[in-house]
Amino acid sequence: MSSKWVKSFEQIDTYALLSGWYDLPERWLSDLDIVIHPKELKKLEKVLCAQNDARLVNHFRHESTCDYFVLALRSGNQIQFLPIDSATDYRRNGRVWFTAGELLKGRRRWKGFWVTASEVEFKYLLVKKILKGSVPEHSAKRLGERAMELGDKARELAVNLLGSLLGEQTICWIKTGAWEEFHSHIPKLQKALKRQKLRKDPLNPLRYWLPEIPRIWKRWRYPTGLFVAVLGPDGSGKSTLIGHLERELKKAFRRTAFFHLMPALFRRKGPSVL
């Protein structure tokens, strides 16, 4: 990611990188998560499409307020993919966890980009990784660094999200690096998160599902994705080509699936039909 990307993002007035930004602009770890003001979303898409050294190859809405973009960049003889997950709030598992205003509060500059405040990054990462059910090594390191930096404020944030007992325990696990203990309690932490949010905001699930139902209906009517048909006689290398496509292109999509042309239920005995 070159300095040209920094200049491109300067065209967007109100945004912040949520995570994965600490190695920018030299490199990125995985997805680039962005919170953006709703009025700026179209501008983000325009900026991404205007990149001379990249091409937008995928774009879909995976939550009612969350758009997923994938850019393809040429690196020598290879193609690399940069996923950018943009959101106008953070919602998941039937709850709206943070509004755009909450996530943008206190944002700061970092190497030309706008990034979230330390408090926001900590609570966003904590909620996201609990709900996803796992904490990768780089996220665990980041949570530990933010917890040590924030001190008592990190404990206050965890208690607010999880309740007194689990909040205190969670901070202890994070600061001491007891990630096995943390992972073993994830189901309990997920229930605590949902319970705390519902107790403080009883109408929260309604705000989640009202805009979500039309999106689900539209996705059902008009499924996203790409079908690639590989045809040829036996021994022509179809399986090799399919394996290559799955390896090389899987990062451009959230998931891939392989189908035989003929359903296995009705297939005659003998060689597989691809």
Side-chain angles (χ1 to χ4, degrees):
M1 182 174 283
S2 67
S3 58
K4 289 189 294 183
W5 286 79
V6 178
K7 293 181 180 179
S8 296
F9 274 85
E10 287 177 353
Q11 300 175 45
I12 306 170
D13 297 322
T14 313
Y15 80 93
L17 305 184
L18 286 163
S19 64
W21 49 263
Y22 22 92
D23 283 332
L24 293 177
E26 291 79 14
R27 67 186 183 94
W28 60 89
L29 292 174
S30 56
D31 292 11
L32 198 60
D33 292 346
I34 299 177
V35 58
I36 189 166
H37 192 281
K39 293 181 180 179
E40 301 283 303
L41 190 58
K42 287 293 183 183
K43 190 182 292 185
L44 172 63
E45 183 177 355
K46 184 178 180 180
V47 165
L48 296 178
C49 289
Q51 297 300 314
N52 294 326
D53 57 348
R55 177 172 293 182
L56 183 65
V57 294
N58 199 0
H59 173 209
F60 62 90
R61 182 159 290 182
H62 64 94
E63 297 275 2
S64 59
T65 58
C66 306
D67 285 76
Y68 194 76
F69 302 91
V70 181
L71 292 170
L73 304 90
R74 183 173 292 280
S75 178
N77 294 325
Q78 294 183 327
I79 299 293
Q80 293 184 331
F81 296 100
L82 172 60
I84 298 177
D85 204 351
S86 69
T88 55
D89 60 27
Y90 181 62
R91 56 179 60 214
R92 189 185 179 95
N93 295 48
R95 301 287 190 278
V96 180
W97 299 99
F98 305 111
T99 65
E102 290 172 320
L103 293 172
L104 290 166
K105 184 178 180 181
R107 65 182 182 141
R108 52 202 170 94
R109 298 291 282 181
W110 171 271
K111 295 183 179 179
F113 294 100
W114 283 104
V115 301
T116 52
S118 294
E119 294 179 18
V120 173
E121 183 188 1
F122 176 78
K123 64 184 182 181
Y124 166 76
L125 274 179
L126 182 60
V127 170
K128 182 178 181 179
K129 298 309 173 184
I130 288 174
L131 293 176
K132 292 189 80 169
S134 65
V135 186
E137 184 178 348
H138 65 272
S139 297
K141 179 183 178 182
R142 196 67 182 173
L143 278 168
E145 290 172 349
R146 295 285 75 79
M148 297 302 293
E149 175 191 340
L150 293 169
D152 288 341
K153 185 62 179 179
R155 182 192 61 79
E156 180 185 328
L157 293 171
V159 167
N160 183 57
L161 290 167
L162 296 162
S164 181
L165 181 60
L166 272 179
E168 296 279 2
Q169 289 180 330
T170 298
I171 284 297
C172 181
W173 295 329
I174 291 174
K175 287 186 174 181
T176 59
W179 292 106
E180 288 188 10
E181 190 74 12
F182 182 97
H183 279 99
S184 69
H185 285 81
I186 277 181
K188 186 182 292 186
L189 294 173
Q190 291 173 340
K191 290 179 181 178
L193 272 179
K194 293 181 179 180
R195 184 170 59 248
Q196 284 290 105
K197 178 59 73 173
L198 190 61
R199 183 179 66 83
K200 295 177 181 179
D201 185 5
L203 296 180
N204 190 287
L206 190 63
R207 287 201 300 276
Y208 176 91
W209 285 109
L210 278 178
E212 191 65 11
I213 291 172
R215 183 197 69 84
I216 293 173
W217 169 253
K218 185 176 180 180
R219 283 286 294 272
W220 182 80
R221 287 287 306 276
Y222 307 102
T224 61
L226 175 70
F227 276 101
V228 178
V230 179
L231 305 174
D234 290 345
S236 61
K238 297 188 299 297
S239 297
T240 302
L241 176 58
I242 290 169
H244 178 77
L245 288 172
E246 286 185 314
R247 287 192 305 273
E248 296 300 318
L249 300 181
K250 66 180 181 180
K251 290 185 179 179
F253 305 93
R254 286 197 144 193
R255 62 186 63 87
T256 60
F258 168 71
F259 301 95
H260 286 277
L261 183 62
M262 183 184 296
L265 181 64
F266 302 108
R267 188 181 306 147
R268 298 170 184 170
K269 293 183 179 180
S272 296
V273 178
L274 293 177

